[in-house]
Amino acid sequence: MTEYVLETKNLTKKYSKRAVVDNLSIKIRKGDIYGFIGKNGAGKTTTIKMISGLTNPTSGSIELFGSSDLSEGRKKIGTIIENPAIYPYMSARENIEVQRIMKGIGDKKITDQVLSIVGLSDVGNKKAKKFSLGMKQRLAIAIALVGSPEFLILDEPINGLDPIGIKDIRNLILKLTKEAGITVLISSHILGELMKIATCYGIIKDGRIVKQLTVEELREIVKPQAEFVVNDPEKARAIFTEVFGINDMEIQGNWIRIGEAVEKCDDIKRCLEENDIVISSVRTINDDNEEYLIKLMEEGEE
């Protein structure tokens, strides 16, 4: 049985009768890195605020860790929403200590532990106001980790970061999921980076979920293709079918495009040549997952 860390059903938030989030239903499995993607204003942050308890839904329901007891469930989550809650005139250690005390955690070792996890053990007494943006984001994640959450919610954590800062945050998220088993919801509109770590996606447009799919499902939808330009397309078609069992083909003029067995292009090419078929060119058309997701963000599901 699939264990869900988060499940929302018909979650709706209205402001002045306008639905900012509209009947949103999502499921996040334990251990996933859930890429919550949509354009600015799509409803990502409002959804996260409802999950975290910072604003109340107009209607719909939220379950955390299989329970509707949100007060207990929210004790197991850590969040970063919009601007990180950092005290600028305090050091990284002092910021963590404040959070530890506020949460009533007596074990002072947690401070060293979370600073080590995010790579801020050696910043000493340097005030947070002098941190780079990347360091501030890592400190914010450290604050969110106080209390050993099982579910981490990060709202646009790489916005404004330089390439090194983005890489640091990306590696940190992967480390948290792999080593600590933390489930992560990460909202972003920077698809290129998100696609390097996400295990599944929820695409939101105008407050509605357009589609939810795993990385595996995405690969099935957006498959790579190979295109052969040959002197005898009908003879080539027969070889594709009879020798390689390929039926997913498109033929126009002298070119044939296949959607199966693309990984066998070298073998196919060799076989065609052995059967006296002249090949003018062969090219692989890469699957463009990013383009597909952008289309969903902009146009919705067909």
Side-chain angles (χ1 to χ4, degrees):
M1 183 177 177
T2 303
E3 186 176 348
Y4 293 109
V5 168
L6 170 70
E7 183 172 1
T8 72
K9 296 178 182 177
N10 301 317
L11 196 63
T12 299
K13 180 65 178 180
K14 293 182 178 180
Y15 292 105
S16 301
K17 298 184 178 180
R18 185 177 75 87
V20 178
V21 175
D22 191 3
N23 287 295
L24 184 140
S25 298
I26 61 175
K27 294 181 179 181
I28 300 180
R29 301 170 301 184
K30 184 177 181 181
D32 270 337
I33 299 177
Y34 187 94
F36 193 36
I37 58 178
K39 296 192 292 185
N40 289 333
K44 301 189 298 296
T45 299
T46 301
T47 300
I48 287 171
K49 284 181 175 180
M50 286 190 283
I51 296 167
S52 305
L54 297 179
T55 189
N56 293 320
T58 303
S59 60
S61 65
I62 301 169
E63 287 189 2
L64 289 168
F65 306 96
S67 172
S68 57
D69 185 349
L70 300 183
S71 60
E72 284 301 309
R74 284 171 179 149
K75 293 177 183 177
K76 301 178 184 180
I77 68 175
T79 60
I80 300 176
I81 301 176
E82 296 178 327
N83 296 320
I86 293 172
Y87 294 100
Y89 292 96
M90 290 185 179
S91 66
R93 175 173 295 278
E94 289 168 338
N95 269 279
I96 300 298
E97 280 291 287
V98 168
Q99 189 70 9
R100 179 185 67 78
I101 293 167
M102 286 174 61
K103 287 195 171 184
I105 299 171
D107 186 0
K108 295 183 179 181
K109 292 180 182 177
I110 190 67
T111 300
D112 289 321
Q113 289 170 358
V114 296
L115 287 174
S116 176
I117 288 169
V118 302
L120 291 177
S121 297
D122 58 353
V123 295
N125 294 320
K126 185 177 181 179
K127 305 303 181 188
K129 69 174 183 174
K130 295 183 178 179
F131 285 6
S132 67
L133 183 55
M135 290 174 67
K136 288 178 180 177
Q137 289 291 60
R138 281 189 281 149
L139 176 56
I141 292 174
I143 291 170
L145 290 174
V146 174
S148 304
E150 297 176 34
F151 182 29
L152 194 60
I153 300 175
L154 307 176
D155 185 23
E156 302 280 4
I158 59 176
N159 264 13
L161 298 185
D162 61 24
I164 294 175
I166 290 173
K167 183 180 179 182
D168 287 344
I169 298 299
R170 183 175 73 227
N171 290 339
L172 175 56
I173 292 168
L174 290 171
K175 178 181 178 181
L176 291 171
T177 55
K178 184 178 180 180
E179 297 182 8
I182 296 175
T183 304
V184 179
L185 182 157
I186 175 170
S187 80
S188 183
H189 60 276
I190 305 175
L191 281 180
E193 285 302 319
L194 195 56
M195 292 175 69
K196 294 177 182 177
I197 59 173
T199 59
C200 54
Y201 301 94
I203 300 93
I204 184 172
K205 180 180 185 294
D206 299 330
R208 288 178 173 268
I209 280 290
V210 173
K211 197 175 188 69
Q212 288 189 100
L213 71 171
T214 64
V215 167
E216 292 76 20
E217 289 168 340
L218 179 60
R219 288 172 182 158
E220 280 297 308
I221 292 169
V222 188
K223 293 181 178 180
Q225 296 179 315
E227 185 179 280
F228 293 78
V229 179
V230 297
N231 67 329
D232 191 338
E234 286 304 320
K235 187 176 180 181
R237 179 212 286 266
I239 291 172
F240 286 148
T241 302
E242 294 168 12
V243 178
F244 296 97
I246 297 171
N247 295 301
D248 183 5
M249 282 179 280
E250 180 184 357
I251 300 178
Q252 288 190 24
N254 283 350
W255 64 256
I256 303 179
R257 186 173 292 171
I258 61 171
E260 302 174 64
V262 174
E263 72 282 359
K264 297 180 180 179
C265 271
D266 289 342
D267 294 336
I268 294 170
K269 183 174 181 290
R270 190 178 305 112
C271 185
L272 292 176
E273 291 172 339
E274 289 172 354
N275 284 273
D276 300 320
I277 295 174
V278 178
I279 303 171
S280 301
S281 69
V282 180
R283 70 183 183 111
T284 301
I285 304 167
N286 293 324
D287 51 327
D288 198 337
N289 295 339
E290 186 172 0
E291 183 177 329
Y292 175 75
L293 293 175
I294 288 173
K295 186 175 180 181
L296 289 177
M297 287 168 55
E298 293 179 343
E299 302 176 16
E301 182 73 299
E302 292 180 358

